[in-house]
Amino acid sequence: MLALQSVFPNALRDRLSHHQSEIWNKEVFFSTNSYTSLVAPSGTGKTTLIHFLYGLRNDYVGTITFNDKNIAQYDAEALSTIRSCELAIVFQDLRLFPQLTIRENINLKIALCKQPVRANIDAMADRLAITHILDKPAHICSYGEQQRAAIIRALVQPFSYLLLDEPFSHLDQENTQKAIHLIHQICAENKAGLIIADLDHNHYFPYNQQYSL
Amino acid sequence: MFALLLAVILLLMAVQIQVNFSKLLSSENTRDSIANFLVINRELTDANIGNSRLPDSLIADLQKQPFTEAIGTLEASRFKASIESNSSRFPFYTDISFESTPSDFIDVNTTDWHWEEGESLVPVIVPTQFLDIYNFQFSISQNLPQLTPAIVKMIVFKITIYGQGNKTEFNGRVVGFSDRISSMLVPRSFMQWANQKFATTALANPSRLIIKTKDPSDPRLINYLSKKGLKTDSEKTRFSKFRRIVDIAVLILGGSGLIMLIFAVLIVTLFIQLTVTSCKPEIILLLTLGCSPRELTNLLLKKFFSPGLLLVTIGTLATAVLQYISHYLLQKKQVLLDPFLSPYTLLVACTLILLIAAANRYSIIESMNYTKKILPKATNGYPNETKEESVTA
């Protein structure tokens, strides 16, 4: 289970000290099998929170626990295991290797998994309509194509939580719908929880919890 | 990379040359081991002529010297003796004297080297020089046949011993040739028995000693002998001069190799750090995606260690080839070198591999730490969302 206990980012202390938030300085639990929406305008810490949950940053007060242990206390090796087996993520800035092909980017993620993975990359790519760019270097693909590739890269690993940071920001409605269906299906297969951060209220998924940052 | 290869070859060659030289001086091989045993006697001058005995105090002092490994006395016969041929086809007769020394100091290994009271056959060891003088001077001038060592060993001759009014005859046979001691040697048991029974003069201190030395090229040995008015075969101590030359050569080779190695390892280390630092974004992204830092470090170690391992292997093989060529060329000049590299050289090669591995490991771990350190910590102010943030992994 992922949980926040009175977490407040150091970097936003001045800016958000008078801001009413349903997340910062509150007790929040994210259980597996539940879908959570985090909505906030720019600059209120959506990406910061996603990075806190992923263990990328620890410049905050309060405690974030994962499986009942303070995530800041996991060592580097333990964090790498969590990132390859428990937490999947789609970064807002995607973070693909630009010089590698889309297929290589996805295969690299599979190679980093510490458990055997049976993912059908071609089928997923077909569902998201990016089959034609699978063998092209990431840097020559459009941002929308890269975003769909980043979604597939997140879905090929085993996970108990999927963290999404504005995952459909560069997708049209049709492609967004395709991505939503695929994510929904894979989350169900993994019996995983989903935490999505976005600028506006949305109905992408049947949310169990919705918070304003 | 070429500098590293050259440094490896120079260092290994320095070690191998030192080992080769030490082995030449202490080889078990008869031809080469002469230098380890030195026969010592007083240098005869007008002042000490007729008094060449070596006192017990000098022997005890010599025993205590750091260069002395073992010391043995050469016991001379104190009776008259002659040898003559048993064959009329090859007649000879000569008066002779014998010496004996403990078997450990003799450079002939043969099961025939023993004598017990009652045995009629006395084994004799003669200097190799005697046979050379016979074959290359005497036989030519007297129109006699030349003799090989094997033929000489088959000849049985008569030894006659006189003294105290007695006369006893034995059969003698040459059982070996010594490069080390220029005397007619008989077993010590025979000498002691014969001296007791036939001696015409009283027992006295020996005139000659034989010492086994760890290092015949030790300059302290030469100084000691000179100070005490002793002399030995100067041919055998010429290694002292060679030793200095070899030491200088080894120092130059080893020193150059070491300096090159230090620079080469430094360059390799910087190259690794530069490469890892230039891959900083990729490394950070890999860690972000869940790559194990330990596995990533091991992967980099393997990648950078393989060329180092290959270079040391090539360097070792090149040194081995040089050693084999040296062995082949010097064999013709009666200098017997091992055809293969010494264990010390291989040990140094292994040490170099470990050194390169340690340098690689250090530079990779340092680079990985540095890569993490130089990233923005994002602790002051709100970070740009597209900017890379620090990775706590």
Side-chain angles (χ1 to χ4, degrees), chain A residues 51 55-56 59 77 92 109, chain B residues 289 292 294 378 385 389-390 392:
Chain A
H51 288 186
L56 270 185
D59 52 322
E77 287 299 324
Q92 187 191 47
K109 180 65 191 173
Chain B
L289 293 176
S292 153
R294 192 186 304 132
E385 289 197 341
E389 281 108 14
S390 68
T392 55

Side-chain angles (χ1 to χ4, degrees), chain A residues 57-73:
Chain A
R57 295 172 56 179
N58 52 21
D59 52 322
Y60 54 84
V61 292
T63 309
I64 299 174
T65 57
F66 179 77
N67 289 342
D68 299 326
K69 185 177 174 183
N70 187 342
I71 202 164
Q73 289 175 350

